[in-house]
Amino acid sequence: MEEKQHYSPGLDGVIAAETHISYLDTQFSQILIRGYDLIDLSKTKSYLELVHLLLEGRLPEESETETLERKINSASSLPADHLRLLELLPEHTHPMDSLRTGLSALAGYDRQIDDRSPSANKERAYQLLGKMPALTAASYRIINKKEPILPLQTLSYSANFLYMMTGKLPSSLEEQIFDRSLVLYSEHEMPNSTFAARVIASTHSDLYGALTGAVASLKGNLHGGANEAVMYMLLDAKTPSEFEQLLQTKLKRKEKIMGFGHRVYMKKMDPRALIMKEALQQLCDKAGDYRLYEMCEAGERLMEKEKGLYPNLDYYAAPVYWMLGIPIPLYTPVFFSARTSGLCAHVIEQHSNNRLFRPRVSYMGPRHQAES
Ligand SMILES: CC(C)(COP(=O)(O)OP(=O)(O)OC[C@H]1O[C@@H](n2cnc3c(N)ncnc32)[C@H](O)[C@@H]1OP(=O)(O)O)[C@@H](O)C(=O)NCCC(=O)NCCS
């Protein structure tokens, strides 16, 4: 008789990898990124500095940030025939599907695709990070029969990203808040999409393949798709009390409320959510309109009272993205775009210290059935 091994549904609590990249330290309520607290980083560092930290393993000197910015900006255009591929997709295609297709197709333009060395993958990651804003924006605009907006070399990475999605030059507050959201979304230990990317990379598959699998994972509303779902839910109500009623009705129907709960934080607030809540308040101050903030707070209070659940990052990122004028179907692609940096770091780490993922099952089916 074989020994029965412990089975944890959803691999809950299972250690799937050893990593030097990040860790959700629930004991100290900290998200560690290469040893630094992500919340502290989000207050002082830009997204590109985070990119450097994730891919090079250390924070950059000022001159290194400038070099990185130049490198990433010079990779910001997509090949022209690549965009034609997106034009062929049906108009109801979700931008996450369009992004997945576009990202997958970039593999064909890489002549050194079989070189999986850390230095080749790092260079590939920088090239990809340069293209992600254009690919993300195009994944929505092309499907909606709008001309893609070309990046402006005079703008920062985040300002350009916003500009290509909205067609408007952002204010410095908008640029700063959007950049902060990218920092918060950049890396988060071992969510489903990172696991998916590492599983794919463990077969010696390439970076594009690993990230394409991660897009599919991140699309689901139990993961990245939650930010878009939160916004549709907020738009279904006009006042805080209407929003409370809407949530009560969903809870009575035993529906999951998008933007609440987390496998690791469980019954604690996701510390990233608090930073986006502050950003929402800043944007409401600027607009002189507190409706969304008040609705979100009412929802937060109700969920704590009824379920003992707290907001995750998606709950407050959604209204922030709304106030920044980003089209709702782009909320999840933006999350993915920001997460590209963390995902690339994980693929490089997996390739550098690889063991093929190949788990076993607990077989529950019949044995030795006689053929009739
Ligand atoms: C994130 C999430 C998938 C984590 O799920 P999980 O670790 O598998 O936890 P479970 O789904 O088993 O939930 C445990 C309990 O809390 C409840 N719960 C968890 N999240 C809930 C939510 N958002 N709304 C209502 N109830 C929720 C479950 O119904 C379950 O209750 P029960 O034990 O009475 O059946 C889950 O909280 C969720 O679906 N949240 C909404 C989607 C979301 O915001 N995703 C983004 C995550 S960053």
Side-chain angles (χ1 to χ4, degrees):
M1 192 76 178
E2 277 176 44
E3 195 192 329
K4 188 113 175 141
Q5 304 235 347
H6 173 71
Y7 164 54
S8 176
L11 302 186
D12 193 351
V14 171
I15 305 294
E18 286 184 337
T19 184
H20 293 86
I21 302 169
S22 68
Y23 180 58
L24 305 193
D25 190 336
T26 47
Q27 197 187 349
F28 296 102
S29 294
Q30 265 191 334
I31 303 164
L32 290 177
I33 308 283
R34 300 229 186 250
Y36 296 95
D37 178 358
L38 178 67
I39 301 305
D40 289 346
L41 291 171
S42 77
K43 292 174 184 165
T44 53
K45 303 294 172 200
S46 70
Y47 177 64
L48 289 189
E49 287 173 299
L50 256 282
V51 166
H52 192 283
L53 176 62
L54 284 164
L55 292 173
E56 304 293 340
R58 60 174 179 82
L59 284 166
E61 306 286 334
E62 207 176 311
S63 65
E64 289 174 315
T65 311
E66 285 161 15
T67 310
L68 178 60
E69 186 151 27
R70 271 198 302 278
K71 186 200 265 275
I72 287 191
N73 277 352
S74 65
S76 63
S77 305
L78 292 164
D81 50 347
H82 175 268
L83 284 180
R84 285 215 307 277
L85 175 78
L86 300 188
E87 285 166 16
L88 297 174
L89 298 174
E91 61 188 89
H92 58 264
T93 306
H94 189 280
M96 276 301 268
D97 296 329
S98 161
L99 176 71
R100 195 185 60 229
T101 303
L103 179 54
S104 169
L106 283 176
Y109 296 86
D110 189 334
R111 298 285 178 96
Q112 265 78 48
I113 192 161
D114 290 331
D115 186 350
R116 291 187 315 274
S117 63
S119 58
N121 263 339
K122 220 186 279 178
E123 193 50 40
R124 197 167 277 130
Y126 288 129
Q127 295 294 315
L128 197 54
L129 281 159
K131 291 181 176 32
M132 284 313 288
L135 181 58
T136 303
S139 71
Y140 174 77
R141 292 187 69 86
I142 291 182
I143 300 293
N144 286 280
K145 307 276 176 258
K146 292 180 179 168
E147 276 294 310
I149 298 170
L150 294 176
L152 289 177
Q153 293 300 327
T154 48
L155 297 182
S156 71
Y157 185 81
S158 294
N160 238 328
F161 198 164
L162 261 182
Y163 166 66
M164 286 191 279
M165 290 188 290
T166 64
K168 277 192 343 219
L169 289 175
S171 67
S172 60
L173 177 70
E174 290 169 332
E175 175 186 347
Q176 187 199 60
I177 285 177
F178 182 62
D179 191 76
R180 192 161 284 174
S181 80
L182 299 184
V183 168
L184 294 174
Y185 269 135
S186 65
E187 167 57 17
H188 205 222
E189 201 211 72
M190 192 59 81
N192 192 290
S193 52
T194 304
F195 184 51
R198 288 190 77 127
V199 168
I200 295 168
S202 80
T203 69
H204 287 178
S205 193
D206 58 78
L207 185 78
Y208 305 95
L211 265 66
T212 301
V215 181
S217 156
L218 202 127
K219 184 188 177 195
N221 67 9
L222 294 188
H223 191 0
N227 59 9
E228 165 176 337
V230 165
M231 198 61 230
Y232 287 122
M233 197 168 69
L234 284 166
L235 292 178
D236 278 341
K238 290 189 183 60
T239 61
S241 67
E242 262 185 48
F243 189 55
E244 282 170 352
Q245 276 167 25
L246 187 141
L247 295 187
Q248 290 280 22
T249 310
K250 283 181 181 292
L251 287 177
K252 274 197 197 107
R253 286 199 224 116
K254 304 258 176 253
E255 283 178 35
K256 287 265 186 81
I257 309 297
M258 294 295 122
F260 285 90
H262 194 278
R263 172 68 64 82
V264 181
Y265 301 123
M266 308 266 202
K267 306 268 170 181
K268 282 189 193 147
M269 181 131 165
D270 174 346
R272 302 168 302 166
L274 210 53
I275 302 295
M276 276 297 100
K277 183 176 179 181
E278 285 165 17
L280 178 62
Q281 186 164 29
Q282 279 180 293
L283 289 167
C284 289
D285 284 344
K286 191 88 190 143
D289 176 358
Y290 292 90
R291 205 167 51 95
L292 272 177
Y293 187 84
E294 286 163 2
M295 281 165 67
C296 286
E297 275 215 309
E300 189 183 329
R301 278 194 301 271
L302 182 120
M303 286 297 286
E304 186 185 350
K305 186 165 129 251
E306 296 291 326
K307 300 286 294 182
L309 286 173
Y310 294 87
N312 54 51
L313 172 58
D314 295 318
Y315 186 66
Y316 278 106
V320 163
Y321 285 174
W322 174 263
M323 301 225 34
L324 293 176
I326 301 172
I328 300 173
L330 278 177
Y331 293 7
T332 316
V334 167
F335 173 174
F336 182 83
S337 191
R339 185 56 58 81
T340 302
S341 48
L343 286 166
C344 289
H346 278 278
V347 170
I348 292 168
E349 190 178 67
Q350 184 66 39
H351 279 161
S352 307
N353 185 16
N354 191 47
R355 179 145 169 89
L356 175 74
F357 278 99
R358 204 308 184 185
R360 296 298 311 276
V361 296
S362 179
Y363 179 64
M364 309 301 279
R367 278 175 190 256
H368 315 306
Q369 295 210 75
E371 284 178 38
S372 55

Coordinates of all heavy atoms in Angstrom, one line a residue, residues 221-223 226 251 255-263 267 272 303 307 309 312 314, ligand 1:
N221 N -11.1 36.7 -12.1 CA -11.4 37.7 -11.1 C -11.1 37.3 -9.7 O -11.3 38.1 -8.8 CB -12.9 38.2 -11.3 CG -13.9 37.1 -11.0 OD1 -13.6 36.0 -10.5 ND2 -15.2 37.4 -11.3
L222 N -10.6 36.1 -9.5 CA -10.1 35.8 -8.1 C -8.7 36.3 -8.0 O -8.1 36.3 -6.9 CB -10.1 34.2 -7.9 CG -11.5 33.6 -7.9 CD1 -11.4 32.1 -7.4 CD2 -12.5 34.3 -7.0
H223 N -8.2 36.8 -9.1 CA -6.8 37.3 -9.1 C -6.9 38.8 -9.7 O -7.6 39.6 -9.1 CB -5.9 36.4 -9.9 CG -4.4 36.6 -9.9 ND1 -3.8 37.6 -9.1 CD2 -3.4 35.9 -10.5 CE1 -2.5 37.5 -9.2 NE2 -2.2 36.5 -10.1
A226 N -10.0 41.2 -10.5 CA -10.9 41.8 -9.5 C -10.9 43.3 -9.6 O -12.0 43.9 -9.3 CB -10.4 41.4 -8.1
L251 N -24.1 39.5 -0.6 CA -23.7 38.6 0.5 C -24.8 37.6 0.7 O -24.6 36.4 1.0 CB -23.4 39.4 1.7 CG -22.1 40.1 1.7 CD1 -21.9 41.0 3.0 CD2 -20.9 39.2 1.6
E255 N -22.5 35.5 -2.8 CA -21.5 35.9 -3.8 C -20.3 36.4 -3.1 O -20.3 37.0 -2.1 CB -22.1 37.0 -4.7 CG -23.1 36.5 -5.7 CD -23.6 37.7 -6.6 OE1 -22.9 38.6 -6.9 OE2 -24.8 37.6 -6.9
K256 N -19.1 36.2 -3.8 CA -17.9 36.8 -3.3 C -17.9 38.3 -3.7 O -18.3 38.6 -4.8 CB -16.7 36.1 -4.0 CG -16.4 34.7 -3.5 CD -15.3 34.7 -2.4 CE -14.9 33.4 -2.0 NZ -13.9 32.8 -3.0
I257 N -17.5 39.1 -2.8 CA -17.4 40.5 -3.1 C -16.0 40.8 -3.6 O -15.0 40.6 -2.9 CB -17.7 41.4 -1.8 CG1 -19.0 40.9 -1.1 CG2 -17.7 42.9 -2.2 CD1 -20.2 41.1 -1.9
M258 N -15.9 41.3 -4.8 CA -14.6 41.6 -5.4 C -13.9 42.7 -4.7 O -14.5 43.7 -4.2 CB -14.8 42.0 -6.9 CG -15.4 40.9 -7.7 SD -14.2 39.5 -7.9 CE -15.2 38.1 -7.2
G259 N -12.5 42.5 -4.5 CA -11.7 43.5 -3.8 C -11.6 43.2 -2.4 O -11.0 44.0 -1.6
F260 N -12.2 42.1 -1.9 CA -12.1 41.8 -0.4 C -11.5 40.4 -0.3 O -11.7 39.5 -1.1 CB -13.4 41.9 0.3 CG -13.9 43.3 0.5 CD1 -14.6 43.9 -0.5 CD2 -13.5 43.9 1.7 CE1 -15.0 45.2 -0.3 CE2 -13.9 45.2 1.8 CZ -14.7 45.9 0.9
G261 N -10.7 40.2 0.8 CA -10.1 38.9 1.1 C -8.8 38.7 0.4 O -8.5 39.4 -0.6
H262 N -8.1 37.8 0.9 CA -6.8 37.4 0.3 C -6.3 36.1 1.0 O -6.4 36.0 2.2 CB -5.7 38.5 0.6 CG -4.5 38.4 -0.2 ND1 -3.5 37.6 0.1 CD2 -4.2 39.0 -1.4 CE1 -2.6 37.7 -0.9 NE2 -3.0 38.5 -1.8
R263 N -5.8 35.2 0.1 CA -5.3 33.9 0.7 C -4.3 34.1 1.8 O -4.3 33.4 2.8 CB -4.8 33.1 -0.5 CG -4.1 31.8 -0.2 CD -5.1 30.7 0.4 NE -6.1 30.3 -0.5 CZ -5.9 29.3 -1.4 NH1 -4.7 28.8 -1.6 NH2 -6.9 29.0 -2.2
K267 N -7.6 37.8 7.3 CA -8.5 38.7 8.0 C -7.7 40.0 8.4 O -8.0 40.7 9.4 CB -9.0 38.1 9.3 CG -9.7 36.8 9.0 CD -11.2 37.0 8.8 CE -11.9 35.7 8.3 NZ -13.3 35.7 8.0
R272 N -1.1 47.4 0.9 CA -1.0 48.2 -0.3 C -2.3 48.9 -0.5 O -2.4 50.0 -1.2 CB -0.7 47.2 -1.5 CG 0.5 46.4 -1.4 CD 0.6 45.3 -2.5 NE -0.5 44.4 -2.4 CZ -0.9 43.5 -3.3 NH1 -0.2 43.4 -4.4 NH2 -2.0 42.8 -3.1
M303 N -18.2 45.3 5.1 CA -17.5 44.0 4.9 C -16.8 43.6 6.2 O -16.8 42.4 6.6 CB -16.6 44.0 3.8 CG -17.2 44.0 2.4 SD -18.2 42.5 2.1 CE -17.0 41.3 1.8
K307 N -18.5 40.3 7.5 CA -17.7 39.1 7.2 C -16.3 39.1 7.9 O -15.6 38.1 7.7 CB -17.4 39.0 5.7 CG -18.7 38.9 4.8 CD -19.3 37.6 4.9 CE -18.5 36.4 4.3 NZ -19.2 35.1 4.3
L309 N -13.9 40.8 6.8 CA -13.0 40.8 5.7 C -12.5 42.3 5.4 O -13.3 43.2 5.6 CB -13.6 40.2 4.4 CG -13.8 38.7 4.4 CD1 -14.6 38.3 3.2 CD2 -12.4 38.0 4.4
N312 N -8.4 44.4 -0.4 CA -7.1 44.1 -1.0 C -6.8 45.3 -1.9 O -7.6 46.2 -2.2 CB -7.0 42.8 -1.6 CG -8.1 42.6 -2.7 OD1 -8.3 43.4 -3.5 ND2 -8.9 41.4 -2.6
D314 N -6.8 45.7 -5.1 CA -7.7 45.9 -6.2 C -8.9 46.8 -5.8 O -9.4 47.5 -6.7 CB -8.2 44.6 -6.8 CG -7.1 43.8 -7.4 OD1 -6.2 44.4 -8.0 OD2 -7.0 42.6 -7.2
Ligands
LIG1 C1 -8.8 36.3 -2.8 C2 -9.6 35.1 -2.5 C3 -9.8 34.3 -3.8 C4 -8.9 34.2 -1.5 O1 -9.7 33.1 -1.4 P1 -9.3 31.8 -0.5 O2 -8.1 31.9 0.2 O3 -9.5 30.7 -1.5 O4 -10.5 31.9 0.5 P2 -11.9 31.3 0.4 O5 -12.5 31.6 -0.9 O6 -11.9 29.8 0.7 O7 -12.7 32.1 1.5 C5 -12.7 31.7 2.9 C6 -14.0 32.2 3.5 O8 -14.1 33.6 3.4 C7 -15.2 34.0 2.5 N1 -14.7 35.0 1.6 C8 -13.5 35.2 1.1 N2 -13.4 36.2 0.3 C9 -14.6 36.7 0.2 C10 -15.2 37.8 -0.5 N3 -14.4 38.6 -1.2 N4 -16.5 38.0 -0.3 C11 -17.3 37.3 0.5 N5 -16.8 36.2 1.2 C12 -15.5 36.0 1.0 C13 -15.6 32.7 1.7 O9 -16.9 32.7 1.3 C14 -15.3 31.7 2.7 O10 -16.3 31.6 3.7 P3 -16.9 30.3 4.2 O11 -15.7 29.7 5.0 O12 -18.0 30.7 5.1 O13 -17.2 29.5 3.0 C15 -11.0 35.4 -2.0 O14 -10.9 36.2 -0.9 C16 -11.9 36.1 -3.1 O15 -12.5 35.5 -3.9 N6 -11.9 37.5 -3.1 C17 -12.6 38.3 -4.1 C18 -11.7 38.4 -5.4 C19 -10.6 39.3 -5.2 O16 -10.7 40.4 -4.7 N7 -9.4 38.9 -5.7 C20 -8.2 39.7 -5.7 C21 -7.3 39.0 -4.7 S1 -5.8 40.1 -4.5

